[in-house]
Amino acid sequence: MCGIVGFYGPEDVAHDIVFGLTALQHRGQDAAGMATFDGNFHLCKGNGLISDVFRPKQLKKLKGNIGIGHARYTTQGSSDAELAQPFTTSYPFGLAMVHNGNVINFRSAAKRLHEKYHVLPKTSNDLELIMYTFASELRLKNLDALSVVDIFDAVETTQELVKGAYATVTIIAGHGMLAFTDPLGIRPLVLGRRQTEAGPVYAFVSESTCFDYLGFEFVENVGPGQAIFIDQNFEVHRKNPYSLPKAFCVFEYIYFAREDSTINGRLVARERVRLGKILARKVIESGIQPDMVIDVPSSGYFAASGLAEAIGVPYRRALVKNNHMGRSFIVSSQAGREDIVRKKLNPIREFVEGKKVAVVDDSIVRGTTSRRIVRILREAGASEVYFISSAPPIVAPCIYGIDMAMSTELIAANYTEEEICRYIEADKVIYQSVEDLQELFAEDKGHGGGCFACFTGNYPTGDITKYLGHIQEERESHRIDRKKDAGGLVPSVSAKAPAPTEH
């Protein structure tokens, strides 16, 4: 999962790119990058946060009225700075591209690139596969008289050859800006416009919240399999979306997207309130009687408030978040995640001491973070702690760009709710039901529901057994590399998650 932006207007866009990426910093904290074009490509990228990578000295060099940006969250491969996006290629015309998502036929796509197009990808980044496949198809056209139809033809072939989840934005030097998504529309991308005295500025961004900061109006969602091209005259051209059912990632609503973003016409904050309200039935049926409902900030807030309202129990914000710490879920190591939880959450003892507390989080993935939160509340004096997840049990790995890629890492894939309850040391664990979640998003008839694969194991792109085997091989390879770099021993990969223990 990453954050991407693309801006195209009559004046330099570097500052818009920085502000847009800053609004998307929650989507990736590993690295950031930008490419602008003014007759030549200007590129700046590196590891770290937006504020670390883009300094005033660099921004002065990033000239051009068209540009793209990326905030990286590493799911596969290493976090080397060379893998930071954007990527560029000089032929045809000169292309610069960013993407958000994950390619699942990496090996076969890379083999095809080498055998058919004689292109050898330099890195393990999925973006190279998308960019070089598109570039290779584009170069087959009449480049002296390239048309919008030619561009869309190259996009369509790329969508057929590259499988997985992706939303992309591309600069085609001397021609314009192109955006397209995978045929199922798994990852978000929206188009906006700001009118200026010099003319319109167009923007493609991962989330609509960017428009609020920059004074843009929302124009449309980039639909599943759709392509939108903005030419040098700022005329907008559209390729019709695919007729496949939309399979948008439901986890965006539950956790990843900002609460003030609107996705497919749905305000994320409102959807999280609804998730809390439909949890009320399961809470009541469980027989627990909490004195208060609290949230794990920040993604648990709206679900907690919805639940508290529905069951008639006071809501309190009893865990205070240090906003200068990152999001623990998107930190690459478990030790790092636990360290962030310890440092970023501080309980208000006066609120929880002697109370039966229902704590609402967006999900339970590995269980160790949840256990740490329960311990924090017990140490603050809570008499009972009920852990409530606004997401159903996560029983299958996400292969579309969220870092939960092996079933051995998912506690719900290996243990019952009772065992999970003992492991996280709670008095009760309550999950959202898959059926209630599916019913909530089935209401959205115009958008065809969503992808529930991590809760059901049913993947919209079909059989992914071979891909999971590739992930295991890659992770083992990186484990061995880390062992060599450290000069010491690294524990072997376990076949099963750590056993839950009694508290």
Side-chain angles (χ1 to χ4, degrees):
M1 192 77 67
C2 303
I4 63 174
V5 301
F7 289 86
Y8 188 22
E11 299 174 336
D12 284 355
V13 295
H15 284 90
D16 278 343
I17 292 172
V18 170
F19 285 121
L21 287 177
T22 301
L24 298 176
Q25 184 73 87
H26 61 286
R27 298 186 68 88
Q29 301 170 3
D30 292 332
M34 181 194 311
T36 60
F37 182 77
D38 66 350
N40 294 292
F41 279 120
H42 306 284
L43 188 65
C44 175
K45 57 183 181 178
N47 286 340
L49 302 178
I50 309 302
S51 57
D52 298 325
V53 176
F54 303 121
R55 300 290 187 177
K57 184 177 180 180
Q58 282 88 7
L59 286 176
K60 289 180 180 179
K61 300 177 182 178
L62 292 165
K63 300 294 185 181
N65 68 326
I66 185 169
I68 54 178
H70 188 268
R72 186 176 190 227
Y73 155 51
T74 306
T75 55
Q76 300 302 124
S78 70
S79 56
D80 293 343
E82 70 173 10
L83 298 181
Q85 299 182 31
F87 281 10
T88 62
T89 184
S90 59
Y91 182 77
F93 304 112
L95 305 174
M97 184 181 283
V98 291
H99 99 301
N100 168 34
N102 199 51
V103 173
I104 65 171
N105 64 333
F106 186 97
R107 293 189 180 184
S108 61
K111 183 180 179 182
R112 184 189 303 109
L113 271 176
H114 192 234
E115 293 179 351
K116 181 178 179 180
Y117 303 120
H118 312 294
V119 174
L120 181 65
K122 294 184 295 184
T123 73
S124 61
N125 194 305
D126 295 349
L127 177 60
E128 277 201 301
L129 297 180
I130 303 171
M131 183 179 70
Y132 284 131
T133 300
F134 173 71
S136 298
E137 288 300 318
L138 198 62
R139 73 182 184 184
L140 300 177
K141 310 301 181 182
N142 180 0
L143 300 183
D144 291 328
L146 187 72
S147 69
V148 175
V149 173
D150 291 333
I151 293 171
F152 286 161
D153 281 348
V155 168
E156 190 162 352
T157 303
T158 301
Q159 291 167 324
E160 292 170 356
L161 295 176
V162 181
K163 307 298 183 182
Y166 48 85
T168 73
V169 184
T170 305
I171 300 171
I172 304 178
H175 288 78
M177 177 169 283
L178 170 70
F180 64 90
T181 63
D182 67 84
L184 292 166
I186 297 172
R187 291 285 155 239
L189 193 62
V190 292
L191 171 65
R193 179 181 56 233
R194 181 180 65 204
Q195 194 63 42
T196 70
E197 292 182 359
V201 182
Y202 285 96
F204 293 102
V205 299
S206 292
E207 294 184 35
S208 66
T209 186
C210 296
F211 298 155
D212 299 332
Y213 286 93
L214 293 167
F216 279 69
E217 62 174 325
F218 170 83
V219 175
E220 63 186 287
N221 296 290
V222 183
Q226 189 176 20
I228 297 178
F229 178 69
I230 304 172
D231 65 24
Q232 287 187 294
N233 297 316
F234 298 103
E235 185 176 345
V236 180
H237 307 266
R238 294 170 176 84
K239 165 187 168 291
N240 290 333
Y242 272 62
S243 59
L244 296 174
K246 187 177 179 70
F248 185 79
C249 174
V250 172
F251 212 68
E252 288 275 358
Y253 294 107
I254 295 170
Y255 172 77
F256 230 95
R258 271 180 49 155
E259 56 265 39
D260 52 347
S261 288
T262 298
I263 299 176
N264 296 328
R266 291 172 173 262
L267 177 64
V268 172
R270 184 178 294 115
E271 297 311 309
R272 291 179 183 170
V273 170
R274 295 175 74 187
L275 286 169
K277 287 184 175 181
I278 61 178
L279 269 167
R281 176 181 55 81
K282 295 194 70 174
V283 170
I284 293 170
E285 289 175 353
S286 74
I288 65 172
Q289 296 182 324
D291 297 314
M292 68 175 66
V293 177
I294 72 171
D295 66 287
V296 178
S298 306
S299 53
Y301 166 71
F302 287 98
S305 65
L307 173 62
E309 180 183 341
I311 65 176
V313 171
Y315 163 80
R316 295 287 183 271
R317 178 153 266 185
L319 287 171
V320 179
K321 178 183 176 182
N322 179 345
N323 290 318
H324 298 286
M325 300 298 295
R327 301 182 91 180
S328 59
F329 184 86
I330 65 175
V331 173
S332 57
S333 71
Q334 182 57 44
R337 283 188 288 268
E338 293 193 44
D339 187 55
I340 282 183
V341 172
R342 283 193 296 269
K343 292 177 179 177
K344 82 173 182 180
L345 294 180
N346 188 42
I348 301 177
R349 177 177 290 274
E350 287 77 5
F351 280 3
V352 303
E353 191 168 20
K355 298 293 195 301
K356 293 181 288 184
V357 178
V359 55
V360 180
D361 204 354
D362 52 81
S363 59
I364 303 172
V365 181
R366 301 166 181 88
T368 49
T369 297
S370 305
R371 179 171 60 179
R372 180 60 190 167
I373 291 167
V374 172
R375 287 178 175 177
I376 286 173
L377 292 169
R378 290 199 187 280
E379 290 166 3
S383 61
E384 294 185 16
V385 180
Y386 316 121
F387 205 96
I388 300 174
S389 168
S390 65
I394 297 174
V395 298
C398 176
I399 62 169
Y400 302 126
I402 297 178
D403 187 21
M404 44 186 182
M406 296 306 299
S407 295
T408 54
E409 300 171 353
L410 306 175
I411 193 167
N414 297 278
Y415 300 104
T416 66
E417 288 188 23
E418 290 75 16
E419 290 172 322
I420 293 168
C421 186
R422 291 198 299 272
Y423 177 70
I424 70 171
E425 302 174 4
D427 294 284
K428 186 72 176 178
V429 167
I430 297 174
Y431 282 99
Q432 186 76 259
S433 77
V434 175
E435 294 76 18
D436 285 345
L437 185 68
Q438 290 176 326
E439 183 178 352
L440 176 63
F441 288 97
E443 296 172 7
D444 194 359
K445 302 296 185 185
H447 297 289
C451 174
F452 301 88
C454 56
F455 309 124
T456 65
N458 298 320
Y459 294 89
T461 53
D463 183 20
I464 49 85
T465 306
K466 183 181 294 186
Y467 175 71
L468 291 178
H470 294 166
I471 292 176
Q472 182 63 52
E473 291 175 17
E474 182 179 338
R475 290 197 168 194
E476 179 66 12
S477 174
H478 284 303
R479 186 189 68 82
I480 293 171
D481 289 342
R482 289 196 302 271
K483 175 180 176 180
K484 290 178 180 177
D485 291 342
L489 297 176
V490 174
S492 61
V493 178
S494 64
K496 198 174 184 183
T501 56
E502 300 285 348
H503 70 267

